[in-house]
Amino acid sequence: MRKELQVMLQAARLYYEDGLTQQQVADELGVSRPQVSRLLTRARAESIVRITIADPFATFEEVEARLVETFGLREAVVTAGEGLSGEPLRRHIGLAAAEYLRCFLNDGLQVGIGWGHTLHAVVEALSVEQRAGIQVFPLIGSMGQVPASFQVNDLARGLAEAFGGIWQALYAPAFVGEPQARDVLLCHPDMKMVMEAWGSLDMALVGIGYFASQRQFSMFFAEYMDEALLRALEEQKAVGDLCGRFFDIQGMQCIVEPEVIGVSLEQLRALGHVVGIAGGEEKVTAILGALRGGYLNVLITDTVTAQAVLGKHESET
């Protein structure tokens, strides 16, 4: 009996965790494909394998209401997050955010977009949507050798094209170390047009970065920010950033970074419709800081993250 259970467990792991086909599992175990099928059926019948479907369109009104009441939001959108992390979780949040945009975007709106893996998932979740003559502006400059998630001009183009709108590129680096070089860039007419739009956007979509990633995973910010600045941010207990602007867990800006070409935290706070889109255990403190700072009016996240944010906030107040 023990041997049969071990074979069943091995088959289940190869099929469900490693993603092998039933034929590949059969070859690995030296059995026939029908035998593998029977093993997998038994594994489910005996609860060795339990399949949970996380519906990204499910609603969680109670936790959404708690987020709205606790942080004074105009709205919260919470999607299923149990058992999810990494890319699958970002896809779920991206689908929920895409559905939110379908409801709110209409002709004539000016929309700003930041960067990040989850915002990339949002754009990826959009196909050819209903026509809406939106105009999209990047909220921060670009960087060189970084993943597609942080190519903000591409994200702006993807969002605009999904709704049949137009977009304006921001041809400037996100970080400029030389003040003189930055001043020259800011005088360019194309730059000025985008930056002037930041103050009157109808909606801003922002990802929420978490500062610990700069040290733990050697993220790209470390390549563009000198060691002294990173140490200063650590000393001021930075937990996250919005478009390269860092803040602590109370939402206080840590350093006014003159080298950043991007929307400021004060500009975000002044807008009436800023949508923060993020999830994951690692981002709880960053999301909490962004909410406490009043930089967001709408939060789109998952159930696990939402409960963790609320729990941490309540434990500290």
Side-chain angles (χ1 to χ4, degrees):
M1 181 67 175
R2 180 179 177 83
K3 185 176 180 181
E4 290 179 8
L5 286 173
Q6 287 176 331
V7 174
M8 190 189 309
L9 183 60
Q10 191 175 5
R13 283 178 169 161
L14 289 170
Y15 184 73
Y16 290 105
E17 292 182 355
D18 297 343
L20 272 61
T21 66
Q22 290 191 14
Q23 186 58 57
Q24 288 171 327
V25 174
D27 294 340
E28 183 78 17
L29 299 180
V31 298
S32 67
R33 192 197 63 75
Q35 283 178 287
V36 170
S37 180
R38 287 193 292 272
L39 286 168
L40 295 175
T41 299
R42 279 188 60 197
R44 291 180 62 182
E46 297 182 22
S47 295
I48 291 173
V49 172
R50 299 177 183 177
I51 296 175
T52 301
I53 298 174
D55 181 358
F57 302 111
T59 59
F60 300 89
E61 294 179 359
E62 182 179 349
V63 70
E64 290 170 349
R66 287 179 62 201
L67 286 169
V68 169
E69 181 179 358
T70 301
F71 299 107
L73 300 174
R74 61 184 286 174
E75 189 170 1
V77 177
V78 177
T79 187
E82 285 76 7
L84 297 174
S85 62
E87 191 58 33
L89 178 61
R90 287 192 286 270
R91 283 198 298 269
H92 269 250
I93 297 172
L95 286 166
E99 186 67 21
Y100 178 85
L101 293 179
R102 292 184 187 102
C103 297
F104 276 91
L105 293 186
N106 50 56
D107 286 344
L109 293 186
Q110 292 189 325
V111 182
I113 187 169
W115 59 15
H117 296 302
T118 311
L119 284 187
H120 185 262
V122 176
V123 174
E124 288 286 296
L126 294 166
S127 54
V128 179
E129 308 299 335
Q130 72 270 19
R131 300 295 87 185
I134 62 173
Q135 187 173 8
V136 183
F137 298 89
L139 292 174
I140 187 169
S142 301
M143 288 189 287
Q145 304 303 312
V146 295
S149 306
F150 296 89
Q151 299 293 353
V152 66
N153 285 331
D154 289 344
L155 294 179
R157 175 185 53 78
L159 175 61
E161 290 182 352
F163 288 90
I166 60 176
W167 65 287
Q168 177 65 46
L170 182 59
Y171 293 119
F175 299 96
V176 182
E178 291 292 331
Q180 290 182 333
R182 185 177 186 275
D183 291 343
V184 170
L185 285 170
L186 296 183
C187 289
H188 194 280
D190 289 345
M191 282 281 300
K192 292 174 71 174
M193 182 181 71
V194 173
M195 295 180 72
E196 287 171 1
W198 291 341
S200 58
L201 293 171
D202 299 296
M203 179 188 291
L205 308 174
V206 293
I208 305 172
Y210 64 109
F211 178 69
S213 66
Q214 311 311 325
R215 293 299 198 196
Q216 294 174 1
F217 306 111
S218 300
M219 292 288 280
F220 56 84
F221 276 176
E223 302 297 324
Y224 291 85
M225 301 168 66
D226 62 36
E227 182 66 22
L229 180 55
L230 286 171
R231 281 201 306 270
L233 288 168
E234 286 179 336
E235 290 169 1
Q236 295 188 34
K237 298 182 179 179
V239 297
D241 79 278
L242 298 169
C243 297
R245 309 288 188 177
F246 290 89
F247 51 84
D248 64 20
I249 197 167
Q250 300 303 328
M252 299 295 293
Q253 184 163 0
C254 292
I255 294 174
V256 178
E257 308 91 343
E259 67 274 15
V260 177
I261 294 182
V263 66
S264 71
L265 292 179
E266 287 305 314
Q267 285 175 310
L268 287 175
R269 185 186 275 140
L271 293 174
H273 199 169
V274 181
V275 184
I277 306 171
E281 180 183 2
E282 70 280 2
K283 292 199 174 184
V284 168
T285 56
I287 294 170
L288 181 54
L291 290 169
R292 285 174 170 173
Y295 307 124
L296 311 178
N297 314 114
V298 177
L299 176 65
I300 301 178
T301 189
D302 66 278
T303 49
V304 177
T305 303
Q307 295 284 9
V309 168
L310 287 163
K312 186 169 183 61
H313 177 70
E314 290 166 2
S315 71
E316 295 178 358
T317 55

